[in-house]
Amino acid sequence: MDLASAQVIGAGIAAIGIGAASAGVGTVFGSYLQGALRNPGAAAGERIWMFVGFAAAELLGLIAFTVAMIILYAR
Amino acid sequence: MATAAKIDPMHQFMIAPVGSDQLAASPFQFTNSALWMLVVLGVIVVFMWGGLKRQLVPGRWQAAVEVLTGFADNITRESIGPAGRKYLPWVFTAFTFILVSNWIGAMPFAIVPGAHPFTVTGQFSVTWTMSVISFVIVLAVGFWKHGLHFFSLFVPKGAPLPIKIFIAPIEFVSFMVRPFSLGLRPFVAMFAGHILLDVFGNFIVQGLNAGSAMGGFIAALCFVFIVMMSALELLIGAIQAYVFALLTAIYINDAENLH
């Protein structure tokens, strides 16, 4: 296998991590919505932590994307 | 059937002097990045000046400016507390700059031939610089207010000693990664979004060029997709600006109100 095809395959495998991060982001927003619907009074105060959790979950997907890009375009 | 042209989604991120398509030979050039930073600055300045009339009953424009400033004020007040007001200038600057450059980069200026919008935050050097400024503010405030006691940030309070020894290096690494992760987030969100838009925009052109009914169908499908993706891009741009401002405020809170 030459380097170019190995790079493309590797980048595709690295992109799987983005799917995992999407599950994490969905969990964060879904759990917030569940909690907010059960106790709407406490929802506003927890919105900050929802976004912090979203940022943390999303970051891992972005790192997977960055790794894919590095593999794809590294020489 | 003609062979499809190669899609080059990275070309839109190339920094080149205005009016040229080649990389600059000298580092001192007026590049498209600088041009669009000035455009972003101009939009922010015009928007803010239009609303700074200090009327007792605000008009529409002033109300819009007050919503923006009040939003940034809320971030600092809720995360840092009453002491957060002195950090409002940087939080507000970061928020408005990222928000406006994200949105301007997503605007379809390219329908005017030759006017390619350039997403300033699509360059890691820009967002990295902003996150390093945030990090330096955190370090300066922490060491200024608490001295060497600032290192107790890495030690969880009230934990037994073996756990403290175990946790402290992890906390230190997670602290040192902050400027990287803070700058990576707005950068990759814009970078990935614009690559996606570019690739699907190319699919539309290639589908129409194919000349068959199937090609037209795929082009129409991609057009619908790209419209929805553009709406999502505006939402993502706003969320990333908010997350950057919020995390900056939370990190400053760590230094300001050390446990």
Side-chain angles (χ1 to χ4, degrees), chain B residues 41-246:
Chain B
L41 179 69
V43 168
I44 294 175
V45 166
V46 167
F47 178 70
M48 294 305 292
W49 254 340
L52 288 182
K53 298 198 191 79
R54 304 178 70 111
Q55 290 164 336
L56 200 58
V57 180
R60 279 185 196 177
W61 198 324
Q62 188 179 340
V65 172
E66 280 176 5
V67 166
L68 185 67
T69 52
F71 189 71
D73 189 38
N74 244 349
I75 294 174
T76 53
R77 205 151 23 77
E78 282 178 17
S79 310
I80 312 179
R85 218 177 153 72
K86 53 180 176 288
Y87 307 109
L88 182 59
W90 170 242
V91 172
F92 179 74
T93 306
F95 178 73
T96 46
F97 181 77
I98 295 182
L99 180 73
V100 174
S101 50
N102 282 353
W103 279 2
I104 281 188
M107 291 293 146
F109 291 128
I111 52 173
V112 181
H116 298 289
F118 183 84
T119 318
V120 179
T121 40
Q123 300 288 336
F124 191 44
S125 51
V126 174
T127 56
W128 164 260
T129 309
M130 297 182 74
S131 68
V132 164
I133 293 176
S134 292
F135 191 65
V136 166
I137 290 175
V138 170
L139 287 183
V141 169
F143 282 116
W144 186 269
K145 278 196 70 161
H146 307 286
L148 290 180
H149 189 65
F150 181 56
F151 285 107
S152 69
L153 178 69
F154 305 130
V155 184
K157 207 178 175 188
L161 187 63
I163 292 192
K164 275 182 182 172
I165 294 172
F166 185 67
I167 292 287
I170 298 177
E171 285 280 328
F172 179 72
V173 169
S174 98
F175 181 80
M176 294 309 286
V177 161
R178 276 176 183 182
F180 176 73
S181 65
L182 195 61
L184 190 70
R185 209 172 278 118
F187 153 64
V188 175
M190 286 301 107
F191 186 67
H194 280 79
I195 289 178
L196 199 64
L197 290 181
D198 192 294
V199 167
F200 275 85
N202 271 305
F203 284 172
I204 295 177
V205 175
Q206 292 182 358
L208 290 179
N209 280 348
S212 61
M214 191 65 187
F217 174 69
I218 288 177
L221 215 61
C222 288
F223 183 74
V224 172
F225 179 79
I226 214 171
V227 167
M228 292 194 284
M229 269 310 296
S230 301
L232 188 68
E233 195 72 2
L234 296 181
L235 176 71
I236 295 272
I239 287 182
Q240 291 302 337
Y242 175 61
V243 164
F244 189 96
L246 181 68

Side-chain angles (χ1 to χ4, degrees), chain A residues 10-75:
Chain A
I13 294 173
I16 294 173
I18 300 169
S22 73
V25 171
T27 308
V28 168
F29 280 108
S31 305
Y32 173 76
L33 204 54
Q34 270 190 346
L37 287 176
R38 290 189 184 171
N39 186 0
E46 303 305 318
R47 192 173 297 131
I48 285 179
W49 295 109
M50 173 190 68
F51 274 106
V52 172
F54 160 77
E58 188 206 27
L59 175 70
L60 303 177
L62 300 183
I63 289 175
F65 176 82
T66 311
V67 169
M69 281 294 133
I70 289 172
I71 294 174
L72 197 55
Y73 287 98
R75 283 287 176 273

